[in-house]
Amino acid sequence: MPEDCPEFLLRLPNGGPVAKGRLLAEKGTNGSRKFVISAGSPARPDVVPSFAAGMPSSYRLREKLINNGMMRRSATWPGWLETTTDVTCNSPSAASGVLLGRSSNGWGEWKTADGHMLADFIEDMSWGPNHAWLVRGSNVSGLDLVQRMWLDEGLVTLSARHLRPGIEQGISKDRLRSAVEEDYGSTATYNQKMELVEAFHAFLSRMKPGDTVCSISSGTLYVGQLTGPAEQTASDDGRANLRRPVEWQGEGYPYDALPEELQQKLSAQHDVVDLTSVQALVDALGLSEEELADATAAAERDPSREAPVITARRELELPVPEAALADELLVHDAAWLRELRDLLWDDRQLVLYGPPGTGKTYLALKLAEFLGGGLEQVKLVQFHPSYSYEDFFEGFRPREDPETREVAFRLTAGPLRELADLASREGNRHIPHFLVIDEINRANLAKVFGELYFLLEYRNKSVRLTYSGDDFALPPNLFVIGTMNTADRSIALVDAAMRRRFAFVELSPRTEPTSGLLRRWLAREDRDAEPADLLDALNSRIEDHDFRIGPSYLMKQGVFREGGLERTWRTKILPLLEEHHYGEGIDIGQRYGLPVLRAAIGTRQDPDEPAP
């Protein structure tokens, strides 16, 4: 540490007094730089419940200081504790944790009088905010180093058995790439070398003290904080050549109980994975109600900010449809809408299927808008026979450079990728987002979804993408509603893979809410019920349920202008039935014509009685 390195200060919570300390050149037991808390520094009088498990060594040191009289009630600051002598701690984070009584990142919390963080004064330390990382250690050449070494010795390591000695911290990726290419030679494939470069560079040049580090062992996630620089050491078996000191939390977290979005990131198959996008979820693990209350109080003092851990704790919810929505959509019973909501909550994917004109797309959009809380959370796409994965998710598309006007193929996101990116933004993860796919059965679904088909069923996993190579998972708050016209392609033709991934709900003129929809709409519009009677008579003559006519054809204002019903019947309804009976030699007008049906309903006593 430079001779002119300033004294560092730590402000206690809720505008409390200020503690003082200094960084030492001497290293602690696990390789971190030691930190001295100056005598006469104030400390919080109590600790949060999660402190003992989150920073066990700092908790034990604090208890020891109190028991030995080295930290006691302060006469200078009533209601606070005060150190009576200089206290040497293994790391800046341990020092700030002792004073604050909670898990703490001392590299960012200790600051100079003019507001510069302690981290700014450390050589070879990358700039910017702290990150979170997953480093795999449960199967390093067949050994579980998490249990055998990392937790006991306060370390995280990487195997670099062929990497030359003298690789320094902060090395550039270009230099590291050359070293790996030469040192690993024929012992690794091209892809393996690329993975090694990424892992080594993250470990040596991107990680820094104060970062969160995670690892999985025996179905448990262990979380800690990096407390010092990277070192290259000799390792007899080559399993732990690169090392960093870590203060591990005292308890792990069962993997199966972790938030789904965190499980998705942890499933990425790399030795080192950047978890910064879900760092708030990691930080919220084991958070006590008192800590949550402290974060909430801080947010209330500054309404423009909200602690990420509060946002991470927010649960994803779908609002429950009530009678008002059922009345707006002319659905016979709100319980039917609640069932759709429950199906979406359980399966995340739903298909509304039925004959044309049954209001599938309208209902899908209105339901998505209600459940998502607005139009901004809803995106509509329509499938067709030439629709592809590149159109739907991502692919190389011709794009013009706005400056040079040259056209080149560039990786371009499709509607699903765009909506997934929006849904997964920090602050949006508790807000439902909906993708409505109209005519979902008109495309080759296996071709359109590609590897994403797997994610529709296994939402807590991620896959490597075909084009970008990114690890991708569908956000838990992304729901899919598809519509399927059974007259265009029978539902029986849908493959088993899609049936397993979607819940299917029929909208049929035979059953509610579709069977009485037109009659309810006519009553609300204060119109004559004849169109509903005609539609019932028409559908009673159509034997194939998939080709019965839906009510939406007759729910347009043009139907009620002079001659509008006859025009709609002649140009919209009869052509559908002509196509259905093509080649059968049936006189469509004689069987389904408007005069014939009017005559039938005019003589029928029971509207449910089949027409002659």
Side-chain angles (χ1 to χ4, degrees):
M1 181 174 176
E3 299 253 343
D4 59 351
C5 190
E7 183 178 54
F8 293 102
L9 311 176
L10 177 71
R11 172 73 66 179
L12 269 65
N14 302 318
V18 176
K20 299 179 180 180
R22 62 186 186 276
L23 189 66
L24 301 180
E26 181 185 356
K27 292 185 178 181
T29 55
N30 64 354
S32 174
R33 295 274 289 277
K34 289 186 176 183
F35 191 92
V36 175
I37 302 171
S38 299
S41 289
R44 182 174 173 170
D46 53 4
V47 302
V48 298
S50 64
F51 183 45
M55 297 185 74
S57 60
S58 299
Y59 175 79
R60 290 192 296 268
L61 174 58
R62 178 185 166 97
E63 292 294 299
K64 179 180 177 181
L65 294 174
I66 293 174
N67 292 335
N68 292 342
M70 299 172 69
M71 184 184 288
R72 62 189 182 193
R73 293 287 175 182
S74 174
T76 308
W77 301 287
W80 300 90
L81 300 182
E82 181 180 341
T83 57
T84 60
T85 183
D86 286 354
V87 177
T88 302
C89 303
N90 266 335
S91 69
S93 293
S96 58
V98 165
L99 298 178
L100 296 173
R102 59 169 173 78
S103 297
S104 169
N105 180 1
W107 302 93
E109 300 215 43
W110 286 104
K111 298 178 180 178
T112 61
D114 55 359
H116 290 288
M117 296 186 301
L118 185 153
D120 295 344
F121 295 85
I122 307 299
E123 295 179 0
D124 298 325
M125 185 167 171
S126 60
W127 292 81
N130 287 105
H131 288 229
W133 305 91
L134 167 69
V135 183
R136 298 196 181 277
S138 62
N139 184 13
V140 182
S141 300
L143 292 182
D144 185 346
L145 295 186
V146 179
Q147 302 293 341
R148 293 172 65 103
M149 171 192 268
W150 294 5
L151 298 179
D152 292 337
E153 299 183 25
L155 294 171
V156 62
T157 66
L158 273 186
S159 174
R161 66 177 68 218
H162 298 296
L163 192 63
R164 68 190 63 177
I167 296 293
E168 71 276 11
Q169 181 173 289
I171 185 173
S172 70
K173 186 179 289 188
D174 186 60
R175 288 181 55 206
L176 192 56
R177 186 180 295 109
S178 298
V180 169
E181 183 64 37
E182 293 178 15
D183 296 347
Y184 280 79
S186 61
T187 64
T189 66
Y190 172 76
N191 285 334
Q192 288 173 333
K193 291 174 186 176
M194 289 180 60
E195 289 281 342
L196 287 170
V197 170
E198 293 297 329
F200 293 162
H201 185 256
F203 197 88
L204 292 167
S205 302
R206 295 182 62 197
M207 292 183 184
K208 58 181 178 294
D211 281 3
T212 300
V213 63
C214 305
S215 197
I216 304 169
S217 174
S218 302
T220 301
L221 177 71
Y222 294 95
V223 180
Q225 186 183 106
L226 292 172
T227 58
E231 293 182 346
Q232 187 179 20
T233 63
S235 176
D236 293 338
D237 53 12
R239 289 185 173 94
N241 310 82
L242 300 179
R243 303 185 179 194
R244 276 185 176 272
V246 175
E247 182 169 359
W248 292 101
Q249 295 182 10
E251 299 178 359
Y253 305 94
Y255 184 87
D256 292 340
L258 297 176
E260 188 175 272
E261 193 172 1
L262 181 53
Q263 290 188 32
Q264 292 173 342
K265 295 292 289 186
L266 294 173
S267 69
Q269 295 302 307
H270 307 285
D271 288 337
V272 180
V273 179
D274 190 342
L275 298 179
T276 306
S277 63
V278 292
Q279 183 167 359
L281 296 175
V282 177
D283 293 341
L285 295 175
L287 196 67
S288 68
E289 293 301 322
E290 184 175 351
E291 288 169 292
L292 194 62
D294 285 349
T296 303
E300 290 173 352
R301 289 194 298 272
D302 184 358
S304 66
R305 301 179 60 192
E306 183 173 62
V309 292
I310 299 177
T311 306
R313 273 289 187 94
R314 287 181 175 174
E315 296 290 338
L316 173 65
E317 294 181 356
L318 291 180
V320 178
E322 301 293 350
L325 182 64
D327 292 342
E328 178 188 347
L329 300 180
L330 294 172
V331 170
H332 65 297
D333 189 351
W336 186 84
L337 291 173
R338 288 194 287 271
E339 183 178 42
L340 294 188
R341 180 259 183 203
D342 293 343
L343 288 171
L344 279 167
W345 183 255
D346 292 338
D347 298 325
R348 313 287 177 90
Q349 291 96 223
L350 172 71
V351 168
L352 302 175
Y353 70 95
T358 48
K360 300 178 291 296
T361 304
Y362 177 83
L363 178 62
L365 287 170
K366 286 295 186 180
L367 185 64
E369 182 181 342
F370 171 79
L371 296 175
L375 288 172
E376 297 81 4
Q377 284 73 250
V378 181
K379 183 181 285 288
L380 172 70
V381 297
Q382 187 174 59
F383 280 5
H384 50 78
S386 62
Y387 207 70
S388 68
Y389 174 91
E390 291 77 10
D391 300 314
F392 184 51
F393 189 71
E394 69 175 13
F396 287 96
R397 314 289 292 179
R399 290 288 183 271
E400 183 182 65
D401 189 297
E403 296 182 1
T404 65
R405 298 298 182 183
E406 294 181 352
V407 177
F409 282 89
R410 294 181 175 88
L411 188 62
T412 305
L416 176 57
R417 182 82 198 248
E418 290 176 344
L419 187 61
D421 290 344
L422 177 63
S424 60
R425 286 180 187 172
E426 190 169 342
N428 282 355
R429 293 169 182 153
H430 65 286
I431 301 174
H433 288 68
F434 285 83
L435 179 68
V436 176
I437 305 176
D438 198 28
E439 305 285 3
I440 192 171
N441 57 324
R442 295 191 65 220
N444 183 333
L445 296 181
K447 175 184 176 183
V448 170
F449 279 97
E451 69 271 16
L452 305 178
Y453 227 25
F454 171 82
L455 298 181
L456 291 174
E457 184 172 9
Y458 298 98
R459 284 295 194 105
N460 63 339
K461 302 292 184 182
S462 64
V463 296
R464 180 72 67 88
L465 295 176
T466 302
Y467 287 98
S468 64
D470 296 339
D471 291 295
F472 176 80
L474 287 173
N477 58 331
L478 177 58
F479 299 84
V480 180
I481 303 178
T483 69
M484 179 181 293
N485 186 344
T486 52
D488 186 42
R489 182 186 295 180
S490 172
I491 191 174
L493 299 179
V494 176
D495 64 22
M498 183 179 175
R499 285 181 175 276
R500 192 170 65 249
R501 288 162 171 80
F502 286 80
F504 285 79
V505 176
E506 183 180 21
L507 291 179
S508 170
R510 296 177 297 164
T511 59
E512 289 286 16
T514 310
S515 61
L517 179 62
L518 179 57
R519 201 171 297 278
R520 289 190 290 272
W521 183 80
L522 292 169
R524 188 175 72 178
E525 299 293 313
D526 197 24
R527 296 186 182 279
D528 187 82
E530 184 197 31
D533 296 334
L534 289 170
L535 185 64
D536 290 343
L538 172 67
N539 283 327
S540 69
R541 297 184 175 210
I542 302 174
E543 296 179 358
D544 190 336
H545 297 157
D546 288 338
F547 284 88
R548 290 187 172 181
I549 305 301
S552 64
Y553 290 101
L554 302 178
M555 296 172 64
K556 304 180 187 303
Q557 295 302 323
V559 174
F560 301 94
R561 292 197 294 266
E562 185 176 354
L565 179 59
E566 290 77 6
R567 186 165 51 251
T568 299
W569 211 272
R570 185 179 67 254
T571 61
K572 299 289 184 65
I573 294 177
L574 292 183
L576 285 174
L577 297 170
E578 287 274 9
E579 181 182 358
H580 174 49
H581 291 292
Y582 180 77
E584 296 181 8
I586 294 177
D587 188 331
I588 299 299
Q590 183 61 35
R591 184 167 181 175
Y592 302 119
L594 202 54
V596 174
L597 294 175
R598 276 177 167 156
I601 65 173
T603 58
R604 191 186 313 167
Q605 300 298 316
D606 182 358
D608 293 327
E609 179 184 344

